[in-house]
């Protein structure tokens, strides 16, 4: 009986701790337990977005964004930055709550790149990102132009 109470207390404690971990968006905690056997399993899942990656050159005479991103900091073609789609960016006339957040991007072949959100992409579909050339090259060839990606906030 004492062991069962201990297991239940540990599950409740783990759920509370998991719910405090707010740097990640929409943390979903799934709890399941087999108290009779003295086993407990806790799993956490993080939102993983599937979309498309395109690339842009911030310093191309203002044609593709310009040297100042929507988030404010100066940007160059060699910066490890991305532009977030409008649906997830939010109000395009304001600085997004996602500005400065890091993302881990996985390309179609499993190659990965880490970048920082520094701009908005009004033309990108929901869950898609616009990457600087240096980020895009880590995932695939610039000649491809568009890549299927999965990404998450880290």
């Amino acid at each position: 009986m004492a062991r069962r109470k201990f297991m239940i207390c540990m599950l409740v404690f783990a759920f509370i701790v998991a719910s405090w971990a707010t740097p990640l968006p929409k943390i979903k905690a799934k709890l399941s337990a087999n108290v009779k056997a003295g086993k407990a399993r806790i799993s956490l899942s993080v939102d993983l977005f599937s979309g498309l990656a395109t690339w842009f050159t911030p310093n191309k005479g203002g044609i593709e964004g310009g040297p100042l991103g929507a988030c404010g900091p100066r940007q160059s073609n060699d910066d490890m930055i991305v532009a977030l789609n409008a649906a997830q960016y939010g109000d395009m006339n304001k600085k997004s709550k996602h500005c400065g957040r890091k993302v881990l991007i996985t390309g179609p072949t499993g190659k990965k790149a880490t970048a920082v959100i520094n701009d908005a992409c009004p033309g990108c579909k929901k869950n898609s990102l616009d990457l600087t050339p240096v980020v895009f090259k880590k995932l695939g060839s610039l000649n491809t132009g568009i890549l299927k990606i999965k990404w998450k906030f880290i």
Side-chain angles (χ1 to χ4, degrees), residues 45-122:
S45 62
V46 178
D47 285 337
L48 184 64
F49 304 103
S50 294
L52 298 174
T54 50
W55 59 274
F56 73 111
T57 51
N59 288 339
K60 193 173 184 179
I63 297 170
E64 297 180 6
L68 282 179
C71 295
R74 294 193 73 75
Q75 54 191 20
S76 78
N77 301 342
D78 298 322
D79 289 336
M80 295 293 289
I81 59 170
V82 300
L84 184 61
N85 65 81
Q88 289 174 296
Y89 184 89
D91 186 346
M92 299 295 279
N93 296 316
K94 296 181 180 178
K95 186 174 179 179
S96 173
K97 66 180 181 180
H98 298 299
C99 287
R101 291 185 73 182
K102 287 186 180 182
V103 293
L104 176 63
I105 310 159
T106 305
T109 62
K111 293 180 181 177
K112 297 180 186 296
T114 303
V116 175
I117 296 172
N118 192 55
D119 208 344
C121 180

Side-chain angles (χ1 to χ4, degrees), residues 1-18 31 33 35 39-40 42:
M1 185 65 157
R3 185 175 183 164
R4 182 178 299 167
K5 286 182 182 179
F6 175 76
M7 293 298 292
I8 292 170
C9 287
M10 291 304 295
L11 284 172
V12 170
F13 177 75
F15 182 76
I16 290 169
V17 170
L31 299 176
V35 178
K39 296 179 183 176
I42 300 172

